[in-house]
Amino acid sequence: MVLPRGPRAAFPRCPRRCSSPAMAFTFAAFCYMLALLLTAALIFFAIWHIIAFDELKTDYKNPIDQCNTLNPLVLPEYLIHAFFCVMFLCAAEWLTLGLNMPLLAYHIWRYMSRPVMSGPGLYDPTTIMNADILAYCQKEGWCKLAFYLLAFFYYLYGMIYVLVSS
Amino acid sequence: MSAPAGSSHPGAGRILPKLGGVAAAGVAAPAGPGPATYQQNGPAQNQMQVPSGYGFHPQNYIAPSGHYPKGPGKMTSLSLDSQHDDYYSGLYTVPTQNVVTTSTVNQQPGAQQMYGRVPPPASHNMGSAPESFQGAASSASHLHTSASQPYSSFVNHYNSPAMYSSVASQGFPSTCAHYAMSTISNAAQASVSYPSLPAGDPYGQMFTSQNASTVRPIKDHSFSGQNTAISHPSPLPPPPSQHHHQQQSLSGYNTLSWSAPGLLSTQDNPVQNHTGSLVTASNNPTNTGMQFGEYVNNQASSAPTPLSSTSDDEEEEEEDEEAGVDSSSTTSSASPMPNSYDALEGGSYPDMLSSSASSPAPDPVPEPDPAPAPAPAPAPVPAAPQPAKVAKPFGYGYPALQPGYQNATPPLNSGVQPHNPAYSGFQQYAQQYPGMNQLSSSLGGLSLQSSPQPESLRPVNLTQERNILPMTPVWAPVPNLNLDLRKLNCSPDSFRCTLTSIPQTQALLNKAKLPLGLLLHPFRDLTQLPVITSNTIVRCRSCRTYINPFVSFIDQRRWKCNLCYRVNDVPEEFMYNPLTRSYGEPHKRPEVQNSTVEFIASSDYMLRPPQPAVYLFVLDVSYNAVEAGYLTILCQSLLENLDKLPGDSRTRIGFMTFDSTIHFYNLQEGLSQPQMLIVSDIDEVFLPTPDSLLVNLYESKELIKDLLNALPNMFIHTRETHSALGPALQAAFKLMSPTGGRVSVFQTQLPSLGAGLLQSREDPNQRSSTKVIQHLGPATDFYKKLALDCSGQQTAVDLFLLSSQYSDLASLACMSKYSAGCIYYYPSFHYTHNPSQAEKLQKDLKRYLTRKIGFEAVMRIRCTKGLSMHTFHGNFFVRSTDLLSLANINPDAGFAVQLSIEESLTDTSLVCFQTALLYTSSKGERRIRVHTLCLPVVSSLADVYAGVDVQAAICLLANMAVDRSVSSSLSDARDALVNAVVDSLSAYGSTVSNLQHSALIAPNSLKLFPLYVLALLKQKAFRTGTSTRLDDRVYAMCQIKSQPLVHLMKMIHPNLYRIDRLTDEGAIHVNDRVVPQPPLQKLSAEKLTREGAFLMDCGSVFYIWIGKCCDNNFIEDVLGYPNFVSIPQKMTHLPELDTLSSERARSFITWLRDSRPLSPILHVVKDESPAKTEFFQHLIEDRTEAAFSYYEFLLHVQQQICK
């Protein structure tokens, strides 16, 4: 699935370079393309979080329901991010990996320090309404959104750079 | 109007009360136009007074002695007139004259004489008593102002009471102006007699006089009491007056306190009364302000009474109040007064005394003045000659009042109506709160002691103050400086704020380094509660706030919400007042007269038909449980109280037992005997029969009784040691989910089977560790999830944990915490080996089974725009930012809320908080209980410090510390507690106090802060280094989270009394019993003498410590043993001996016991018995091997500050 899509998505963006004979499709370029797509997904995750916490703050949703919808999304997000971190590792893209390490470490820490829960997820309906935690989660959402957006363009640049330079 | 008012607000601090008063008058005048002559007259008078007052103030300061003679009569008449006139319209001319006189009076500082004279002149002038009343009050206030600041504060208090009394009179349903007047006159006369009256009597009278006629006397008393100090003299020659004042101070106090309560009661209920009295006592400065405000209100209310001009009137009233406040503040700020005043003040109001007395006292006064200065200077102030006046912190509060006042004024008016309730409230009040009486009675004695705290800002050098703890138990109930200005305000017993003056901005709050939050006891047992049945419950259309005493009526048809400022229409139905049966007075409706009301809700407030009361008992019957023998006690209690279970004819009840299997009991009507159904599949629990497990209590009563009789013996030979608590709870949830209700779980060990099984996590070797205390949080979220499910089905789970070993309460407690249940813990329970625990269980069960209960409840807390709820503490589930879901609510549940200031409050002078508790009563009625609290906003740090409610702050801190210990670590929480002291004291030292930095200085309002924090650090929940079992610690934390403030404070800082020399001095009368009131001792071994016997009240436990050389007479008379040696090691009862000392001791202990929901157990501890360590660990001022003594702690704090 992913493989064919990556190149196709990338090609329209830079038709000229694609046609250039100097360009080669490397594993690194593939990683960037994959990351590009997955980051787009992560951006949606982040937006979803922000909206969800805003709804909590404005009393539109019951915290139990909200936590039930949010908790299943936490691990996938973390795993996606970890996944392309591993990909970058394999591709030896050290700079990109370095840029992602803080977030990866944060994710690990965050999940390690989650409240006692039997299911997956981070959010505890009994504490989520605490103003501090709510504000923290919202801030976290915005920060992640900003990070993913920047990362998205960085990957785009990185992909093109790899494609062109190789 | 508005302009002057506004100006006054800002300037209030410096301008002082007088200015404020003037401003108010000015305001009133403009507003007045509509009302016609009355109002105009009123304002005019006011204005007159104000100017004179201003001028006088300076004079007063200079020559306090001179003023008395001239002023009083006229002064009183003036103030009275103005108020009364407004109200009654008739007396206008008088007021104006009065005003003039007042001015003269003011010039002549002889406040006492003034007082004395005042009453007579008032009566003369007015002819009508009410006028005289007001006049007296006003005169008193004026006098006060004239007097030195401290005095003024006193005076204010007096005045305020007087006002109250007058209000009360008005409040009487039947009371007319004439009535009031008559009463007043009586009062004046009565006042003379007062001095002779015993302190206790006034109370009794107060109580008894419910009817208008009776009431009047009461009011008179209060009035007279206040006056007495002042007015008494009037009838008599001036000279005696002073002496009277002092002597009377006691009586006066009583009366005063009463009067204040009365006001409160009238408005709110008995509770409020309490608060009112408390407030007055405790918060001197604030009180004065408040009183003034009330005063004003009264006047205003009378004036506005009706008509189109109501809005104007209200505004005027508000202004008046403010003015009054300002004046009070000014007076307070004024220079020191004569001793006599101080004595009087001190005698009369404990708090007042302390504050007022202190102010005169001397040292402290100067500083406070500056603080008050910040208060906005009212425009009128120009006169404000007394810079010193500023001293009163309260002044600032006043300006803020205006908005509130509008609302408040109506309440005042309403106050008249409410009076009836108030009266009843008083009576109840009196009975319930003997403490008040005690206070008043004891106050006289206290005055000396209290004198140290002139004002809440008086700096106290903590390291040099040896006896930081007040001697009177009084302060315990009245510690908070809570009320700003209103008798209307909610009782502090139900609703308290850690800062009684709300800082304007978050930045200011951050600077003060004090926690801001509310402490709620929303469902507590009230003896007097206005219940309102109406088709439409009037609420704000945008924020859904319930109409309350602090809204403002713009005109007859519209009111302005005090939380969101939206203008709403007054519904047609609201125009009719069912109390007075009059039309067109929406501001006199009970909703607007009482800050605590209960509505009967319509079907709009139901998601489903009100549920019946449903009780399910889930009982552990494993070997452990049978061995402990709790079943006998439980079944016995249930049998005794089966008929008293709250509920109606639909009440349902069910039983489940469990060990390694789950047993259900089919109690279906028609069976010959209970049927036991055993479900052994604990992995997938199911209900054996769907509908006959919860049965109607009345239809199946015989079967239930059979079961209860059989139950204790059914499992006597069990060998089953496992406990499948989790599956049993799941079954209970299934059983309850169709209806909701209450599940009472009795557990005796660690759950060891099925879902929710737990492992022992406690390492006994770590019990006394000073390092990391682990496992304060739950080990599994099973119980939390279950609780959330239960909460969603309106089921609360109450946990009774009766275990001798570690049972992981931290995990088990979750089932109650999040389902709004309650937790009881009986460590090492055994029915024979530990009789005291057995007895405690028995008594707790009695209370538990019979206390009030509300089902399917939600509680919403609203506050003025700009403030927001930050964190909630208590047992509940937070469903949205301001909504708590409470499956059950019980009268013993307390809550705490942390607040944050999101937007600057600069455009408002008052903030309000409203809690609305919607619940289904056990009778199947949907009800809403609404509490509204109103507080002033201040802009200066000094004012913030002046308004600190130490006890509330400590309780909030304790709640925060519990959260911190669970989320972070215990040592973090301890550090945070110490830092709270260090930060707040250093912030105070660096910003407000300009004394030398070498000393540890705290404002008077915070002087107990370090002591309480130290007590917290030595509390079971937070102590380290002392062996504490994990469950004990966790239980203490649970209690901190869920106990209401009054009980929590006893847990944190026990009260110690010496009981071997009880006397009737200062005793109070409760239900025909004489209850002695021994002074509080500080919690230090240095207070224990071998010759004495001491009682320590720790909330849930009483200890009586008998010294080795204790008088044999005492031992024989009270304990029933011939000498010390023959006293047994374990003694949990005092024998009923027919001796005076035994009677006194028992009545004192009974009285203490009656004041709390959970009956404490009594331990008699001999000096040399091993049990004495239990006793000694509560002596928190002493050094222990692992913790600081109080003095060391202070040094530690000082060191930290200097860093």
Side-chain angles (χ1 to χ4, degrees):
Chain A
M1 287 278 301
V2 176
L3 274 178
R5 231 189 238 171
R8 266 185 221 156
F11 281 127
R13 287 176 191 265
C14 46
R16 271 187 216 158
R17 280 171 194 166
C18 293
S19 60
S20 113
M23 198 197 108
F25 189 78
T26 62
F27 180 67
F30 169 72
C31 284
Y32 276 116
M33 279 183 256
L34 200 62
L36 205 57
L37 286 174
L38 294 177
T39 305
L42 290 181
I43 289 173
F44 283 112
F45 273 87
I47 293 175
W48 178 258
H49 269 80
I50 292 171
I51 294 175
F53 285 109
D54 194 63
E55 279 178 340
L56 268 185
K57 206 167 192 176
T58 50
D59 296 357
Y60 286 124
K61 282 277 181 76
N62 181 324
I64 299 181
D65 298 342
Q66 204 64 292
C67 288
N68 287 343
T69 57
L70 285 179
N71 277 334
L73 297 180
V74 173
L75 268 190
E77 182 195 331
Y78 289 5
L79 290 179
I80 287 173
H81 184 255
F83 170 69
F84 62 71
C85 283
V86 172
M87 295 287 279
F88 284 128
L89 179 67
C90 298
E93 289 290 327
W94 305 116
L95 177 64
T96 313
L97 184 65
L99 291 175
N100 274 295
M101 281 314 285
L103 184 63
L104 188 66
Y106 171 77
H107 279 163
I108 293 170
W109 169 81
R110 184 94 162 91
Y111 208 77
M112 298 293 282
S113 61
R114 71 181 191 140
V116 177
M117 298 176 70
S118 49
L122 283 177
Y123 308 110
D124 177 356
T126 59
T127 56
I128 194 72
M129 292 308 294
N130 180 304
D132 282 337
I133 294 180
L134 206 54
Y136 178 84
C137 289
Q138 266 190 315
K139 208 183 294 171
E140 184 193 36
W142 283 108
C143 290
K144 275 193 184 175
L145 180 62
F147 180 87
Y148 289 143
L149 275 176
L150 290 175
F152 181 84
F153 290 107
Y154 173 79
Y155 297 149
L156 188 62
Y157 165 82
M159 181 188 72
I160 294 167
Y161 183 83
V162 170
L163 285 175
V164 170
S165 63
S166 61
Chain B
M1 288 184 50
S2 63
S7 64
S8 67
H9 292 300
R14 293 186 179 180
I15 297 177
L16 299 174
K18 293 179 179 179
L19 290 173
V22 174
V27 174
T37 56
Y38 297 135
Q39 293 178 351
Q40 289 178 354
N41 292 337
Q45 294 174 355
N46 291 337
Q47 291 176 352
M48 291 294 288
Q49 293 175 353
V50 176
S52 63
Y54 286 102
F56 296 136
H57 289 295
Q59 295 177 354
N60 293 336
Y61 285 99
I62 299 171
S65 63
H67 297 287
Y68 287 87
K70 295 178 181 178
K74 292 180 179 180
M75 287 296 287
T76 55
S77 64
L78 287 170
S79 60
L80 293 171
D81 293 344
S82 63
Q83 297 173 353
H84 290 289
D85 290 347
D86 292 344
Y87 287 92
Y88 302 97
S89 77
L91 303 173
Y92 288 115
T93 57
V94 176
T96 55
Q97 295 175 355
N98 292 334
V99 173
V100 175
T101 54
T102 53
S103 65
T104 57
V105 173
N106 290 337
Q107 292 174 353
Q108 302 170 349
Q112 296 176 350
Q113 294 178 355
M114 294 291 292
Y115 283 84
R117 292 180 179 179
V118 173
S123 62
H124 293 294
N125 294 337
M126 299 310 290
S128 65
E131 291 181 353
S132 65
F133 254 141
Q134 295 176 351
S138 65
S139 65
S141 63
H142 288 298
L143 291 170
H144 292 298
T145 56
S146 65
S148 60
Q149 296 175 350
Y151 289 100
S152 62
S153 66
F154 289 115
V155 175
N156 292 337
H157 294 296
Y158 281 102
N159 293 337
S160 62
M163 293 300 293
Y164 285 115
S165 63
S166 66
V167 173
S169 64
Q170 295 175 355
F172 292 63
S174 63
T175 56
C176 308
H178 297 291
Y179 262 140
M181 296 178 65
S182 65
T183 54
I184 294 167
S185 61
N186 294 338
Q189 297 173 353
S191 64
V192 176
S193 64
Y194 260 73
S196 64
L197 295 174
D201 294 345
Y203 275 114
Q205 294 177 355
M206 294 295 289
F207 293 124
T208 53
S209 62
Q210 292 180 349
N211 299 335
S213 63
T214 55
V215 173
R216 295 170 188 169
I218 295 170
K219 292 177 180 180
D220 293 347
H221 291 303
S222 62
F223 186 51
S224 63
Q226 299 170 350
N227 293 339
T228 51
I230 302 167
S231 65
H232 277 301
S234 67
L236 301 174
S241 64
Q242 293 178 349
H243 294 290
H244 283 292
H245 290 304
Q246 295 176 349
Q247 296 174 351
Q248 293 171 352
S249 64
L250 296 174
S251 63
Y253 284 124
N254 296 336
T255 57
L256 288 170
S257 63
W258 283 101
S259 64
L263 291 172
L264 294 172
S265 66
T266 55
Q267 297 173 349
D268 298 346
N269 289 333
V271 175
Q272 291 182 353
N273 293 339
H274 274 304
T275 58
S277 63
L278 291 172
V279 173
T280 55
S282 62
N283 308 334
N284 297 334
T286 49
N287 289 337
T288 58
M290 296 289 292
Q291 295 173 352
F292 278 107
E294 294 174 352
Y295 200 7
V296 175
N297 290 336
N298 293 337
Q299 297 177 353
S301 65
S302 63
T305 29
L307 307 187
S308 61
S309 64
T310 52
S311 65
D312 294 345
D313 293 346
E314 292 176 358
E315 292 179 0
E316 292 179 1
E317 293 176 4
E318 293 176 352
E319 292 174 354
D320 290 343
E321 290 177 352
E322 293 177 357
V325 174
D326 293 345
S327 65
S328 67
S329 66
T330 54
T331 55
S332 64
S333 62
S335 61
M337 296 304 281
N339 296 332
S340 66
Y341 277 102
D342 295 342
L344 289 169
E345 295 175 356
S348 60
Y349 301 90
D351 296 346
M352 296 294 291
L353 291 173
S354 63
S355 64
S356 61
S358 60
S359 62
D363 11 18
V365 174
E367 290 184 358
D369 293 353
V381 181
Q386 322 150 343
K389 293 176 180 179
V390 177
K392 288 193 175 183
F394 297 58
Y396 38 60
Y398 294 111
L401 291 175
Q402 291 182 345
Y405 277 115
Q406 293 179 351
N407 299 333
T409 51
L412 291 172
N413 295 335
S414 62
V416 175
Q417 298 175 349
H419 285 296
N420 298 335
Y423 283 100
S424 60
F426 275 115
Q427 295 176 348
Q428 296 171 352
Y429 183 95
Q431 296 174 354
Q432 292 181 347
Y433 304 90
M436 294 302 294
N437 293 329
Q438 298 175 353
L439 290 172
S440 61
S441 60
S442 59
L443 287 176
L446 293 174
S447 63
L448 293 174
Q449 301 170 351
S450 58
S451 63
Q453 5 166 302
E455 296 185 358
S456 51
L457 271 182
R458 181 175 68 85
V460 176
N461 190 333
L462 293 171
T463 47
Q464 287 174 9
E465 190 92 18
R466 188 137 178 79
N467 292 309
I468 203 83
L469 195 68
M471 299 286 281
T472 44
V474 175
W475 72 262
V478 192
N480 80 349
L481 307 175
N482 188 355
L483 299 192
D484 25 348
L485 341 154
R486 47 221 77 209
K487 36 185 176 183
L488 285 180
N489 226 343
C490 194
S491 155
D493 289 342
S494 307
F495 209 153
R496 271 166 92 151
C497 184
T498 56
L499 302 180
T500 51
S501 312
I502 305 290
Q504 217 166 39
T505 59
Q506 182 72 36
L508 187 60
L509 177 61
N510 292 343
K511 257 191 234 165
K513 305 275 187 194
L514 290 166
L516 173 61
L518 302 171
L519 284 120
L520 308 172
H521 191 183
F523 200 60
R524 75 194 186 90
D525 293 319
L526 294 170
T527 47
Q528 184 74 21
L529 174 69
V531 178
I532 295 161
T533 316
S534 75
N535 293 330
T536 52
I537 295 174
V538 182
R539 301 173 69 178
C540 172
R541 288 173 64 98
S542 73
C543 68
R544 307 301 291 152
T545 298
Y546 295 83
I547 197 166
N548 59 70
F550 311 105
V551 303
S552 45
F553 284 92
I554 292 170
D555 56 37
Q556 286 238 321
R557 287 290 173 182
R558 290 180 301 161
W559 60 277
K560 189 173 172 190
C561 174
N562 53 335
L563 297 193
C564 68
Y565 308 119
R566 180 196 159 103
V567 176
N568 295 277
D569 292 336
V570 175
E572 185 59 31
E573 189 187 346
F574 202 71
M575 299 297 290
Y576 174 74
N577 186 343
L579 268 190
T580 59
R581 303 197 177 167
S582 57
Y583 184 85
E585 296 178 341
H587 52 281
K588 291 193 176 176
R589 294 261 306 190
E591 295 96 316
V592 188
Q593 300 282 354
N594 299 284
S595 59
T596 298
V597 293
E598 188 152 288
F599 296 98
I600 309 282
S602 63
S603 54
D604 301 342
Y605 293 84
M606 303 171 193
L607 294 173
R608 57 174 186 175
Q611 66 165 82
V614 181
Y615 306 107
L616 176 65
F617 293 86
V618 179
L619 313 174
D620 183 1
V621 292
S622 60
Y623 177 79
N624 232 328
V626 173
E627 176 64 23
Y630 80 90
L631 274 175
T632 323
I633 296 171
L634 171 67
C635 292
Q636 199 57 41
S637 288
L638 261 174
L639 280 172
E640 283 166 13
N641 296 302
L642 213 49
D643 295 326
K644 296 182 203 154
L645 282 177
D648 54 10
S649 59
R650 302 178 298 160
T651 305
R652 292 160 74 187
I653 193 168
F655 296 89
M656 282 169 54
T657 54
F658 64 94
D659 39 35
S660 61
T661 57
I662 301 170
H663 324 129
F664 297 87
Y665 297 87
N666 184 345
L667 301 167
Q668 190 65 25
E669 188 189 8
L671 291 176
S672 58
Q673 63 175 40
Q675 217 173 43
M676 182 170 166
L677 306 163
I678 300 179
V679 172
S680 54
D681 182 5
I682 55 169
D683 293 329
E684 231 170 283
V685 184
F686 60 92
L687 300 181
T689 65
D691 51 3
S692 53
L693 300 177
L694 280 173
V695 294
N696 187 293
L697 175 61
Y698 299 99
E699 290 168 2
S700 303
K701 189 169 266 181
E702 286 314 310
L703 282 176
I704 293 167
K705 284 184 176 170
D706 287 350
L707 175 64
L708 289 175
N709 284 320
L711 212 48
N713 299 321
M714 275 166 70
F715 301 95
I716 231 165
H717 302 297
T718 186
R719 297 257 171 230
E720 190 54 74
T721 55
H722 283 295
S723 159
L725 176 65
L729 285 172
Q730 287 172 327
F733 168 66
K734 282 186 184 171
L735 200 52
M736 296 297 281
S737 50
T739 52
R742 182 175 78 187
V743 177
S744 313
V745 178
F746 289 76
Q747 172 72 6
T748 59
Q749 57 173 321
L750 213 55
S752 54
L753 270 187
L757 73 96
L758 298 168
Q759 313 289 333
S760 177
R761 296 189 290 166
E762 185 187 36
D763 177 0
N765 298 325
Q766 295 292 314
R767 277 180 189 164
S768 58
S769 158
T770 54
K771 296 173 191 163
V772 186
I773 309 290
Q774 288 176 311
H775 308 310
L776 294 172
T780 162
D781 68 340
F782 171 82
Y783 295 98
K784 185 197 295 181
K785 280 171 135 180
L786 186 95
L788 292 182
D789 290 343
C790 286
S791 178
Q793 299 300 328
Q794 309 297 348
T795 305
V797 184
D798 294 343
L799 172 66
F800 288 78
L801 186 61
L802 317 114
S803 70
S804 43
Q805 305 138 15
Y806 175 73
S807 306
D808 202 351
L809 185 61
S811 301
L812 293 180
C814 288
M815 71 169 101
S816 299
K817 266 187 198 165
Y818 302 109
S819 66
C822 45
I823 301 160
Y824 298 83
Y825 177 50
Y826 304 87
S828 55
F829 176 88
H830 194 280
Y831 72 116
T832 50
H833 299 166
N834 197 344
S836 62
Q837 288 286 15
E839 184 195 340
K840 182 167 164 52
L841 173 66
Q842 204 171 4
K843 290 184 169 165
D844 286 356
L845 273 175
K846 181 163 189 274
R847 163 78 183 168
Y848 173 77
L849 294 172
T850 57
R851 72 185 175 190
K852 233 183 126 173
I853 185 169
F855 297 100
E856 43 185 2
V858 290
M859 181 163 79
R860 195 182 282 278
I861 303 166
R862 298 181 172 88
C863 51
T864 298
K865 210 164 62 176
L867 293 171
S868 71
M869 308 292 153
H870 187 278
T871 307
F872 297 91
H873 302 277
N875 289 352
F876 48 68
F877 172 61
V878 189
R879 214 155 67 190
S880 76
T881 45
D882 59 352
L883 184 70
L884 307 180
S885 161
L886 303 160
N888 284 182
I889 179 75
N890 67 70
D892 305 330
F895 303 90
V897 187
Q898 278 171 257
L899 297 170
S900 59
I901 303 171
E902 300 225 312
E903 301 166 27
S904 163
L905 300 168
T906 40
D907 53 347
T908 177
S909 53
L910 287 178
V911 291
C912 291
F913 306 94
Q914 185 172 73
T915 59
L917 177 71
L918 171 64
Y919 68 97
T920 301
S921 76
S922 52
K923 306 287 181 202
E925 267 179 333
R926 204 74 173 133
R927 287 167 167 248
I928 310 166
R929 186 172 291 185
V930 178
H931 301 276
T932 314
L933 177 73
C934 181
L935 297 172
V937 175
V938 298
S939 56
S940 87
L941 206 51
D943 295 349
V944 174
Y945 281 112
V948 180
D949 180 344
V950 176
Q951 293 195 323
I954 279 294
C955 291
L956 185 64
L957 274 179
N959 276 298
M960 293 161 67
V962 170
D963 274 2
R964 179 70 71 86
S965 342
V966 175
S967 66
S968 179
S969 73
L970 193 67
S971 52
D972 259 21
R974 287 172 56 88
D975 291 347
L977 284 173
V978 177
N979 287 338
V981 179
V982 172
D983 289 350
S984 59
L985 292 188
S986 67
Y988 173 77
S990 61
T991 56
V992 179
S993 147
N994 43 11
L995 293 185
Q996 69 281 18
H997 282 278
S998 57
L1000 188 59
I1001 304 292
N1004 198 41
S1005 56
L1006 272 180
K1007 69 172 183 178
L1008 293 174
F1009 197 42
L1011 177 64
Y1012 284 154
V1013 167
L1014 180 66
L1016 261 187
L1017 293 176
K1018 294 186 177 183
Q1019 225 276 332
K1020 263 186 191 167
F1022 302 112
R1023 71 186 181 192
T1024 55
T1026 310
S1027 179
T1028 310
R1029 301 193 322 155
L1030 193 51
D1031 277 350
D1032 287 348
R1033 191 187 292 279
V1034 171
Y1035 180 60
M1037 290 184 172
C1038 294
Q1039 285 206 300
I1040 287 174
K1041 288 282 236 173
S1042 62
Q1043 291 277 305
L1045 183 139
V1046 263
H1047 306 134
L1048 187 52
M1049 275 320 294
K1050 293 225 177 66
M1051 245 180 78
I1052 293 171
H1053 189 274
N1055 292 340
L1056 182 67
Y1057 308 93
R1058 179 162 189 175
I1059 56 163
D1060 64 328
R1061 293 193 227 145
L1062 292 177
T1063 65
D1064 281 346
E1065 186 185 337
I1068 57 169
H1069 298 257
V1070 182
N1071 297 335
D1072 299 334
R1073 272 199 331 240
V1074 179
V1075 180
Q1077 299 294 312
L1080 274 181
Q1081 309 281 340
K1082 73 177 190 173
L1083 291 171
S1084 165
E1086 78 179 53
K1087 290 288 176 190
L1088 302 178
T1089 64
R1090 287 181 164 193
E1091 292 80 31
F1094 291 83
L1095 172 72
M1096 184 186 281
D1097 172 9
C1098 304
S1100 56
V1101 190
F1102 287 158
Y1103 295 102
I1104 292 182
W1105 181 86
I1106 308 288
K1108 236 181 217 167
C1109 312
C1110 186
D1111 186 7
N1112 278 347
N1113 288 335
F1114 174 80
I1115 296 178
E1116 191 169 348
D1117 288 352
V1118 176
L1119 302 177
Y1121 293 93
N1123 53 42
F1124 180 77
V1125 181
S1126 56
I1127 302 173
Q1129 290 289 351
K1130 282 189 178 179
M1131 186 173 172
T1132 56
H1133 285 280
L1134 288 188
E1136 296 205 9
L1137 301 175
D1138 194 20
T1139 60
L1140 185 60
S1141 45
S1142 167
E1143 207 165 288
R1144 279 178 181 155
R1146 279 184 292 113
S1147 77
F1148 180 57
I1149 290 170
T1150 315
W1151 174 74
L1152 288 175
R1153 252 185 195 158
D1154 288 346
S1155 66
R1156 67 208 66 203
L1158 297 186
S1159 177
I1161 34 179
L1162 178 76
H1163 291 288
V1164 176
V1165 180
K1166 288 170 70 176
D1167 188 16
E1168 43 197 14
S1169 78
K1172 76 173 182 182
T1173 50
E1174 275 286 306
F1175 175 80
F1176 278 100
Q1177 74 186 10
H1178 289 292
L1179 296 175
I1180 53 103
E1181 289 195 32
D1182 290 339
R1183 189 168 202 286
T1184 66
E1185 66 272 22
F1188 289 134
S1189 73
Y1190 177 58
Y1191 187 73
E1192 286 169 330
F1193 180 68
L1194 288 179
L1195 293 182
H1196 175 70
V1197 168
Q1198 192 172 356
Q1199 235 171 27
Q1200 297 283 315
I1201 290 177
C1202 293
K1203 261 184 193 170

